[in-house]
Amino acid sequence: MIRIATVNVNGIRAAWRKGMEPWIQGVDADLITMQEVRAANDIALGILDAVDGYTAASADSTEAKGRAGVAVISRGTAPVEVRVGNGDEYFDAAGRWIEADYRLSDGKLLTVVSAYVHSGEVDTPKQVDKYRFLEQMLVRMPQIREHADHALVTGDLNVCHTEKDLKNWKANRKKAGFLLEERAYFDRFFGELGWVDVHRALSGDIDGPYTWWSMRGKAFDTDAGWRIDYQMATPELAELARVARVDRAPDYASRWSDHAPLVIDYDLPALV
């Protein structure tokens, strides 16, 4: 069994001060992908390499200081190859997409992506960039599927696919993150491309479970959240998914990020 966790850390240095390291040691994950690292690669890798038993496989910072950034760490092994960017040169220095290949003990190849899609803002260049990024995902995801035996895109994708994924969906119909145009891309990911929303598949037709709550007001206490963190798997890998959970902090004061980690177990042989 392989455990894979993904989380938007909302700044690796701040998360570390607030208690992220004990979570890593306790979650018992083989792979952890991170988004919004917000640190240069040498700083991020220096922090993550210090985690006992883990290798900071890769990190990709952005040219915009203090913004974005993605990373992958693995327990007991290193990736056989790492690639930065989703194939569109426009995003090569954006710190929003990194791929890591791992060999499994049965000889098969597992590709894991840490992705951080733009939050966007209606009628602004930020929203234009978001659509361009989502459009490129339609190109890159089939290529990854051809490249590896198993492929998994994880991360903060900043879109709630359905009304079940957003507590206050009626009030957010015209806001970035729940626009029909954004959600249509996810229809294509899970329809035309054939990938699987593993968290939803395992959780069933229920509200949430949410993965992000605003730091403002009582959103966390009342569970007025958004499910914007995903593990999207190729069908063959999705069939091997067994258990999913959101590692929601017990209370507001215990949070080390405004997101909660999404943790999923897969019936896969060990990484080598």
Side-chain angles (χ1 to χ4, degrees):
M1 196 72 69
I2 286 182
R3 177 167 293 169
I4 300 176
T6 185
V7 59
N8 178 317
V9 301
N10 197 23
I12 189 67
R13 286 166 288 194
W16 221 249
R17 291 194 301 269
K18 296 175 182 178
M20 181 181 172
E21 184 177 12
W23 171 79
I24 291 178
Q25 296 294 355
V27 72
D28 195 32
D30 299 279
L31 289 165
I32 303 175
T33 71
M34 304 174 194
Q35 305 83 45
E36 210 169 353
V37 174
R38 294 187 191 172
N41 286 349
D42 57 342
I43 295 173
L45 292 173
I47 293 171
L48 297 172
D49 269 332
V51 181
D52 186 36
Y54 284 86
T55 299
S58 48
D60 177 33
S61 60
T62 174
E63 288 182 344
K65 189 175 181 180
R67 302 283 300 279
V70 287
V72 181
I73 67 173
S74 52
R75 181 170 59 185
T77 190
V80 294
E81 186 177 357
V82 173
R83 294 171 297 279
V84 172
N86 62 6
D88 184 340
E89 292 182 358
Y90 181 76
F91 297 115
D92 280 354
R96 292 183 178 273
W97 186 279
I98 194 164
E99 303 171 6
D101 291 344
Y102 293 90
R103 189 66 63 184
L104 303 176
S105 60
D106 63 357
K108 292 185 176 180
L109 190 70
L110 168 67
T111 294
V112 176
V113 176
S114 181
Y116 178 43
V117 175
H118 308 67
S119 56
E121 186 178 338
V122 176
D123 296 330
T124 71
K126 293 179 181 179
Q127 194 67 26
V128 174
D129 281 353
K130 184 174 188 176
Y131 287 134
R132 180 168 178 169
F133 195 92
L134 291 168
E135 193 70 32
Q136 183 60 23
M137 287 177 65
L138 291 172
V139 175
R140 185 59 188 155
M141 287 167 66
Q143 295 171 346
I144 299 170
R145 188 173 178 181
E146 287 293 321
H147 169 74
D149 299 287
H150 301 294
L152 186 68
V153 174
T154 74
D156 177 3
L157 305 187
N158 265 315
V159 176
C160 292
H161 183 210
T162 74
E163 294 169 5
K164 295 288 185 181
D165 300 323
L166 177 55
K167 179 69 172 287
N168 296 322
W169 64 268
K170 290 183 180 179
N172 287 281
R173 284 175 290 186
K174 296 183 179 180
K175 295 182 180 179
F178 198 61
L179 299 173
L180 287 174
E181 296 87 349
E182 296 172 333
R183 296 160 61 194
Y185 282 97
F186 286 70
D187 291 339
R188 297 179 68 183
F189 296 156
F190 305 133
E192 174 187 331
L193 299 191
W195 289 58
V196 178
D197 180 350
V198 180
H199 187 197
R200 174 57 67 208
L202 291 175
S203 299
D205 188 27
I206 62 173
D207 292 337
Y210 308 120
T211 59
W212 179 82
W213 304 261
S214 172
M215 286 291 195
R216 301 175 181 176
K218 298 290 185 179
F220 185 78
D221 296 332
T222 61
D223 200 25
W226 300 53
R227 192 178 76 91
I228 54 177
D229 301 271
Y230 292 80
Q231 294 197 25
M232 303 194 300
T234 49
E236 299 80 6
L237 178 57
E239 289 181 1
L240 302 176
R242 297 292 179 258
V243 181
R245 74 171 191 269
V246 176
D247 268 359
R248 190 181 191 273
D251 52 55
Y252 184 96
S254 303
R255 302 173 75 188
W256 44 266
S257 172
D258 51 353
H259 291 250
L262 171 60
V263 185
I264 300 181
D265 293 343
Y266 297 86
D267 192 4
L268 285 169
L271 303 175
V272 295

